[in-house]
């Protein structure tokens, strides 16, 4: 490199990494649910199928807060950001996550695909977002189990309402949310076929599928 060449900035490094397609900024996703009464059977099946069978699944107990940053001129959709912190490991960094709009693709695409960026942050993150003008849209806690199968991550989790009093959190339903996901660089759509094949092994205990939340919203309104 020439002595007079300008130094490489973090923005330059990020741009080069994006061009080289080495940043895992795409999430491939399938979702479903299982009743409380059947979750132990599903966990047993996952223990037999996944990589961490000897050590058992990882457990997690997290709180997630969704923030929105609105355009002052109201000409663009709000930017949605999620902050997650571990309630069972206070020394873990906060996680800031951006999730783009899901792309369902055509009916032959095996999974939902959406942009996803995750950044580990300090405990001052929420104060920083408040200073930027972000506002809280909703929050919840989630507690459950995480399995691994190669690059695939499988979570089985109970979602709870955040209580504003000293009362314990209240579950929002009598079922567990099941998610199968992979983070990968753009263009690796073949992973969707592997995910679909794995999801088929979990039937009929749980049906993992592409969820169109916009369609669900229209159905609830009508």
């Amino acid at each position: 490199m020439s002595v007079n060449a300008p130094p490489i900035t973090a923005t330059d490094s990020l741009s080069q990494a994006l061009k080289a397609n080495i940043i895992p900024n795409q999430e491939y996703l399938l979702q479903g649910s299982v009743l409380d009464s059947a979750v132990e059977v599903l966990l047993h099946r996952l223990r037999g199928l996944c990589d961490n069978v000897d050590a058992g699944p990882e457990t997690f107990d997290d709180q997630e807060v969704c923030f929105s940053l609105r355009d002052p001129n109201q000409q663009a959709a709000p930017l949605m950001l999620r902050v997650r912190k571990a309630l069972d490991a206070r020394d873990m960094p906060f996680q800031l996550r951006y999730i783009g709009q899901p792309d369902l693709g055509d009916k032959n695409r095996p999974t939902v695909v959406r942009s996803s960026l995750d950044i580990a942050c300090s405990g001052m993150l929420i104060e920083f977002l408040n200073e930027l003008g972000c506002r809280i849209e909703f929050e919840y806690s989630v507690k459950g189990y995480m399995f691994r199968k190669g690059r695939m991550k499988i979570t089985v989790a109970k979602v709870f309402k955040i209580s504003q009093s000293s009362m314990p959190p209240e579950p929002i339903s009598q079922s567990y949310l099941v998610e199968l996901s992979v983070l990968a660089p753009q263009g690796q759509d073949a992973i969707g076929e592997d995910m679909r094949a794995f999801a088929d092994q979990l039937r009929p205990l749980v049906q993992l599928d592409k969820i169109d939340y916009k369609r669900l919203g229209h159905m609830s309104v009508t």
Side-chain angles (χ1 to χ4, degrees), residues 21-220:
N21 202 27
I22 61 174
I23 294 181
N25 60 350
Q26 294 284 304
E27 182 181 42
Y28 298 81
L29 179 68
L30 292 171
Q31 294 174 300
S33 64
V34 61
L35 291 174
D36 292 353
S37 57
V39 70
E40 288 299 329
V41 182
L42 175 62
L43 294 176
H44 181 74
R45 174 74 63 86
L46 287 169
R47 289 187 186 100
L49 292 173
C50 293
D51 298 334
N52 47 349
V53 58
D54 294 330
E58 299 178 42
T59 60
F60 60 90
D61 185 3
D62 298 342
Q63 180 178 347
E64 184 161 302
V65 184
C66 181
F67 288 86
S68 65
L69 182 61
R70 300 182 180 274
D71 180 5
N73 299 320
Q74 298 184 348
Q75 296 180 349
L79 174 66
M80 307 300 292
L81 298 170
R82 297 171 182 265
V83 176
R84 179 171 286 207
K85 63 178 180 179
L87 300 176
D88 54 351
R90 300 287 182 175
D91 56 338
M92 293 292 290
F94 283 46
Q95 181 188 43
L96 175 64
R97 191 177 199 200
Y98 164 75
I99 299 176
Q101 291 296 320
D103 180 8
L104 299 177
D106 58 43
K107 63 179 181 179
N108 295 320
R109 174 180 283 174
T111 71
V112 170
V113 181
R114 62 187 185 183
S115 300
S116 178
L117 293 173
D118 294 88
I119 306 170
C121 301
S122 72
M124 299 297 292
L125 174 59
I126 291 180
E127 288 81 356
F128 174 72
L129 292 176
N130 286 330
E131 289 293 329
L132 284 179
C134 296
R135 74 179 191 185
I136 295 177
E137 294 292 335
F138 58 86
E139 59 182 321
Y140 60 91
S141 63
V142 56
K143 184 175 183 178
Y145 307 89
M146 181 174 68
F147 298 82
R148 295 282 185 180
K149 180 66 173 179
R151 290 194 296 171
M152 292 183 283
K153 180 176 75 172
I154 307 96
T155 58
V156 182
K158 194 78 170 173
V159 182
F160 297 87
K161 297 178 182 178
I162 298 294
S163 176
Q164 302 299 324
S165 63
S166 58
M167 298 294 292
E170 177 186 353
I172 66 169
S173 70
Q174 296 180 339
S175 61
Y176 280 72
L177 174 66
V178 184
E179 293 187 321
L180 170 61
S181 63
V182 171
L183 282 175
Q186 290 181 344
Q188 297 195 13
D189 292 348
I191 189 63
E193 298 295 340
D194 296 335
M195 294 172 63
R196 174 54 64 191
F198 183 84
D200 288 343
Q201 297 182 65
L202 300 179
R203 293 186 176 186
L205 296 175
V206 60
Q207 181 172 337
L208 298 176
D209 210 342
K210 300 190 295 185
I211 305 298
D212 186 352
Y213 287 100
K214 288 184 178 179
R215 182 169 175 268
L216 289 177
H218 292 324
M219 290 173 62
S220 64

